Amino acid sequence: MRVIDGMHRLMVAFLKGQETIEVELFDGTPEEAFLRAVEANVTHGLPLSKEDRRAAAARIIASHPEMSDRAIARAAGLGAKAVALLRRSSDADASQLGARVGRDGKARPLNSTEGRIRAAELIAENPDASLREVARRAGISPATVSDVRKRITSGEPPVAEQVATETDSEPDRHSPADSVQAGTGRVVRRVRLVQPDPVSLVEKLVRDPSLRHKEEGRYLLRVLQLNAIGAQEWSKLAAAVPPHFGDLIADLARQYAETWAEFAKELDERIQAIRDETEASM
């Protein structure tokens, strides 16, 4: 009979002389009750201070090490990077955990290397297996399985290398961003990807009737237009933030960024599922 959320409402009812009050019963461990209390206090009522949220996140990391950084960040009202820093500095032993549970309740491996290798083996055993079947058995996402299949088809290993290498006998021709590995003649080249202009991309989307003729599509376009600004405009907005709201707005920005990342991931999985269905029907 411990109050998880609503202590002030209970006090008001008591002061009014009420003998009963409607409640929602929660059955769980003290650690689960604490997690529920933090989630409730982050979304309504008197906001928790940043230190309170950091302390709550640290306690959740200790009691729920299987939760992903993003899931803990959403529960505690922090950014995922802040939670990752807390996790690295904590004493919680998560070395035995091979996966973490995200906000959608799905478990994802901490290291996809083993999953990629397992997926390559499954594809070799059954080349006609669907991406979702391989993903389920290998413990990785369908999008990762698709990447593994493409790499195998092109003769590449299932696990991607982090940097591209090439052999060059004249390293002086390379840019300052390149570095030569001593004694090997191998040049590690770091390639900077050119990002397309978001304003021009959104303008192209606005002209598409498949989006303009649906209410949800028009709403999506409005959201995209609000975010389609250049780096200089973002700098101006950052300069306009009052110092006493800096931490709060930075946390909100991180949460919005994580939401967009989740949105992109959901789109990737949905598109891949459509491709799987198309391949299956052919």
Side-chain angles (χ1 to χ4, degrees), residues 123-140:
I123 292 173
E125 294 173 2
N126 185 7
D128 297 328
S130 68
L131 296 180
R132 290 193 174 276
E133 179 184 354
V134 176
R136 178 180 58 81
R137 296 180 61 185
I140 56 179

Side-chain angles (χ1 to χ4, degrees), residues 37-259:
V38 172
E39 291 174 337
N41 280 277
V42 165
T43 56
H44 67 78
L46 185 64
L48 298 175
S49 67
K50 187 173 183 178
E51 288 304 315
D52 288 339
R53 285 178 280 139
R54 286 173 60 87
R59 184 170 169 180
I60 295 172
I61 290 172
S63 62
H64 296 76
E66 75 283 357
M67 288 180 63
S68 69
D69 292 341
R70 288 181 178 177
I72 296 176
R74 173 60 62 89
L78 290 173
K81 289 184 178 180
V83 174
L85 289 174
L86 287 172
R87 193 190 293 271
R88 284 197 290 269
S89 61
S90 70
D91 296 328
D93 183 13
S95 59
Q96 301 301 320
L97 295 176
R100 286 182 187 158
V101 180
R103 293 181 298 181
D104 56 2
K106 296 180 180 179
R108 295 178 175 84
L110 294 177
N111 187 343
S112 63
T113 300
E114 295 182 2
R116 282 175 170 270
I117 295 174
R118 175 58 177 158
E121 295 173 350
L122 293 171
I123 292 173
E125 294 173 2
N126 185 7
D128 297 328
S130 68
L131 296 180
R132 290 193 174 276
E133 179 184 354
V134 176
R136 178 180 58 81
R137 296 180 61 185
I140 56 179
S141 69
T144 304
V145 176
S146 175
D147 181 69
V148 170
R149 178 172 286 174
K150 290 177 182 177
R151 295 183 66 81
I152 294 175
T153 303
S154 60
E156 300 179 13
V159 180
E161 296 180 356
Q162 294 182 348
V163 294
T165 62
E166 61 176 302
T167 301
D168 197 321
S169 59
E170 297 179 326
D172 291 340
R173 293 183 179 179
H174 293 276
S175 68
D178 300 338
S179 60
V180 182
Q181 294 180 349
T184 64
R186 293 163 60 88
V187 178
V188 178
R189 171 163 293 173
R190 294 170 177 80
V191 182
R192 176 175 294 179
L193 299 178
V194 178
Q195 297 291 340
D197 178 26
V199 176
S200 61
L201 291 179
V202 173
E203 289 178 351
K204 180 180 179 181
L205 292 173
V206 169
R207 295 192 295 268
D208 193 313
S210 63
L211 287 171
R212 290 190 291 108
H213 292 171
K214 293 190 297 184
E215 182 178 353
E216 295 83 358
R218 291 192 295 271
Y219 181 69
L220 174 61
L221 289 173
R222 289 196 296 270
V223 174
L224 291 172
Q225 286 174 323
L226 288 174
N227 286 267
I229 61 178
Q232 293 183 349
E233 285 77 7
W234 283 117
S235 297
K236 292 178 181 178
L237 292 177
V241 176
H244 59 281
F245 278 141
D247 289 340
L248 175 61
I249 295 179
D251 287 341
L252 285 173
R254 293 187 189 95
Q255 291 187 40
Y256 291 159
E258 291 159 14
T259 300

Side-chain angles (χ1 to χ4, degrees), residues 16-35:
K16 286 183 176 181
Q18 294 180 216
E19 296 183 356
T20 60
I21 185 173
E22 290 186 358
V23 299
E24 178 184 349
L25 295 178
F26 173 79
D27 185 14
T29 65
E31 292 77 15
E32 292 169 343
F34 177 78
L35 177 60

